[in-house]
Amino acid sequence: MTQSNDSIDANFSVSWTHRLRFTEHPFSSDSPLNQEISKLNPLTLLPVIDRGIVNENPSFVESLQQWLDSLKIPTSDLLIANGGEGAKNDSQVVDMVLESINANNLCRKSCVLVIGGGAVLDAVGYATSIAHRGIPIIRMPSTTLSQCDSGVGVKNAVNYFGKKNFLGVFDPPYAVINDLGLLESLDNRHWISGLSEAVKVALIKDEKFFVEIESCAQELVNRDSAAMASVVKKSAILHLEHITKGGDPFERLDARPLDFGHWSAHKLEQITNHTLTHGEAVSIGLAIDLTCSVRLGLLKESVATRAIALLQALGLPTAHAELVNNALLDGIEEFRQHLGGQLTLLMLKGIADPIDIHELDTPIVRQAIAELL
Ligand SMILES: NC(=O)c1ccc[n+]([C@@H]2O[C@H](COP(=O)([O-])OP(=O)(O)OC[C@H]3O[C@@H](n4cnc5c(N)ncnc54)[C@H](O)[C@@H]3O)[C@@H](O)[C@H]2O)c1
Ligand SMILES: [Zn+2]
C-alpha cells in the first residue's frame, strides 16, 4: 500500500478457481455435478432449464427431476425458461428468475443450477449476478456453442436498446459441467452452428487443433459423438485457458482476441432479426475478417481460402444477402463503443498468428464482402 497525506492506493486481488468438468453421466452418484453441489453445499438450490431441452429430451428432464428429488438440500420447483435469443431480448426470463429467487429466499449461500443454450445461460447468469449482488451459479451448457465457448465464459448479458449484450456483468460461474449427452437432442443446425467458435479459437491459438477439425469435419457433420466430444473439449479448454491465463479475464484492456470475427457477427444477428444463429453469424464474420486480413496484406490468400473451406465443409454459411446492408458497417463503431477506448480488432497473419489492428477502412470491408458474395 502506498500512502501520502490524503491519497491512498491499496491493491487487492481475489483468487478464483474456474471449474470446468466433462461428463456423460451427470446424475450418477460420483458425477462432477454431485461433487460440485456437495462442495458448495448450498442452503437452497434453484434449478432452471431451457424449454428446448424439455421439448426435445424428456428423458433428460425425468432423470433431472429424479436427481433433484434425491437431493438432501431444499430445492425449489424447476423453472422452465424459453430458449433462444428471445431469452435475452426481453426481461421475461430475467424477471422469472429474480421472482423465484425472491419467493424462495435464495441468498449468497444458495445456488442456481442452469441448464441451457448460450442465450438462457446469459440471461439467467445476469439475473443471478444482480440478485443480492451475486448468487453462485452452476452452468450446464446444452448446445454445441455453449459447450465450446460461452458456457466457460465469465460474461452474462441481455440485449437492450436493440443492441446485443448491452446490459451485462462479468461474473464467473461457480462451476461449468459439460454433459456431452445433452447435445444429442439438438437439431442438425444447432449441432453444427457452435463449431464456428471452435474454428475461431483454433484459428487464433492452435494450428494443430485447426488441422484436427479439418480432418474430422465429415464425422462432425455426420453427428459422430466421439469427434464432437474431442472438438468441444479442446475448444472449451482453449477458451478457459485464455480467460484464466490470458491476463485480462474482465477485458479491461483494448484487445478481445476471442471476439475474432464478432464485430460483424453481432451486427448481422441484429440486421437479420436473429434468423441467423450466433454460431452462423460468427462463421460469416470469420469469413469477412479472414478476407479482410488478406486484403490488408497480412494473410496469404491460400490460408483464408483453407479456413473458409473448413467452415463450408462443416455446413456453415460464409456469406449472407444482408452483407450488402450499409448498417453492417456500423458494427465496427458499435464494437468500439461496447469495448470503449480505441478500436481494436484482431486479424490474422497466419493460423495461430494473430495481430491487433486499430482501424479498418470501409473500402477494405466492402471489397472483402464483394468477394464472399
Ligand atoms: N457470455 C458469453 O461469453 C457468450 C459467448 C458466445 C455466445 N454467447 C451468446 O450465446 C447465445 C447463443 O447461444 P446458442 O448458440 O447456445 O443458442 P441458443 O441459446 O439461442 O439456443 C438455440 C436453441 O436450442 C434450444 N436448445 C438448447 N439446448 C438444447 C438441447 N440440448 N436440445 C434441444 N434444443 C436445445 C434452445 O431452446 C434454442 O431454441 C447468443 O445470445 C450469444 O450472444 C454468449
Ligand atoms: Zn461468439
Side-chain angles (χ1 to χ4, degrees):
M1 182 163 91
T2 60
Q3 190 163 351
S4 77
N5 294 333
D6 54 0
S7 171
I8 299 167
D9 287 349
N11 295 329
F12 73 97
S13 58
V14 179
S15 153
W16 184 265
T17 303
H18 204 7
R19 303 173 183 85
L20 171 62
R21 311 285 183 257
F22 296 90
T23 182
E24 290 183 37
H25 305 285
F27 306 121
S28 66
S29 57
D30 58 348
S31 76
L33 176 61
N34 267 309
Q35 287 169 11
E36 295 311 323
I37 292 278
S38 309
K39 247 188 268 166
L40 190 59
N41 194 21
L43 292 178
T44 310
L45 180 75
L46 166 61
V48 188
I49 190 165
D50 192 311
R51 191 177 295 283
I53 308 170
V54 175
N55 292 344
E56 303 301 328
N57 195 350
S59 69
F60 177 89
V61 183
E62 213 174 285
S63 308
L64 169 68
Q65 195 57 63
Q66 277 168 13
W67 174 76
L68 289 169
D69 293 342
S70 74
L71 289 178
K72 294 194 173 65
I73 41 178
T75 303
S76 319
D77 287 346
L78 179 62
L79 290 185
I80 300 175
N82 291 332
E85 199 64 25
K88 293 172 63 172
N89 277 338
D90 64 36
S91 65
Q92 199 244 331
V93 171
V94 172
D95 288 347
M96 176 180 75
V97 174
L98 291 176
E99 275 158 24
S100 183
I101 287 171
N102 184 38
N104 292 291
N105 298 317
L106 266 76
C107 64
R108 290 189 203 165
K109 303 282 180 228
S110 308
C111 176
V112 170
L113 169 67
V114 59
I115 309 169
V120 165
L121 298 186
D122 262 5
V124 175
Y126 178 62
T128 60
S129 296
I130 59 175
H132 299 304
R133 300 197 177 98
I135 292 176
I137 185 166
I138 295 180
R139 294 187 191 143
M140 285 183 70
S142 66
T143 57
T144 306
L145 184 127
S146 54
Q147 291 201 5
C148 277
D149 174 349
S150 79
V152 183
V154 294
K155 297 187 270 185
N156 309 270
V158 292
N159 307 333
Y160 209 67
F161 298 132
K163 289 182 180 163
K164 189 85 184 160
N165 302 329
F166 187 88
L167 288 182
V169 293
F170 290 96
D171 188 13
Y174 177 79
V176 182
I177 316 277
N178 268 359
D179 168 18
L180 291 155
L182 264 171
L183 303 185
E184 296 297 335
S185 60
L186 290 170
D187 59 21
N188 285 341
R189 189 179 181 197
H190 287 97
W191 168 269
I192 285 296
S193 97
L195 290 171
S196 59
E197 301 279 14
V199 174
K200 170 204 76 182
V201 79
L203 277 173
I204 61 177
K205 286 186 180 290
D206 190 334
E207 184 163 14
K208 222 171 120 209
F209 183 37
F210 181 84
V211 172
E212 178 189 329
I213 306 175
E214 277 185 322
S215 64
C216 69
Q218 197 53 51
E219 280 110 307
L220 291 165
V221 172
N222 293 342
R223 299 192 68 126
D224 180 299
S225 302
M228 184 57 103
S230 174
V231 169
V232 162
K233 193 166 188 174
K234 288 196 177 114
S235 176
I237 290 172
L238 282 169
H239 280 88
L240 176 126
E241 283 179 347
H242 178 82
I243 291 164
T244 56
K245 297 183 189 161
D248 188 25
F250 301 138
E251 298 177 358
R252 302 283 151 83
L253 307 176
D254 285 340
R256 283 206 320 202
L258 293 180
D259 276 351
F260 180 45
H262 276 60
W263 70 263
S264 54
H266 284 165
K267 195 67 197 173
L268 254 183
E269 281 181 80
Q270 184 200 331
I271 294 173
T272 59
N273 211 8
H274 300 284
T275 50
L276 283 174
T277 67
H278 178 74
E280 290 165 346
V282 168
S283 175
I284 298 167
L286 291 176
I288 293 174
D289 283 357
L290 284 159
T291 312
C292 286
S293 297
V294 176
R295 290 303 136 225
L296 288 164
L298 298 167
L299 181 69
K300 278 196 205 146
E301 183 138 25
S302 57
V303 179
T305 307
R306 183 178 161 199
I308 292 171
L310 172 57
L311 294 166
Q312 291 171 344
L314 291 167
L316 288 163
T318 51
H320 191 281
E322 286 294 335
L323 289 186
V324 294
N325 188 329
N326 281 331
L328 182 73
L329 292 162
D330 298 343
I332 299 177
E333 175 55 14
E334 283 176 22
F335 190 82
R336 188 197 65 73
Q337 280 177 13
H338 184 62
L339 181 57
Q342 71 170 343
L343 175 70
T344 304
L345 297 173
L346 185 138
M347 294 285 148
L348 282 190
K349 291 191 288 175
I351 298 177
D353 190 6
I355 181 171
D356 283 337
I357 61 162
H358 301 290
E359 56 188 328
L360 182 57
D361 291 337
T362 305
I364 296 268
V365 182
R366 287 198 203 284
Q367 197 185 342
I369 287 171
E371 286 173 41
L372 292 170
L373 287 172

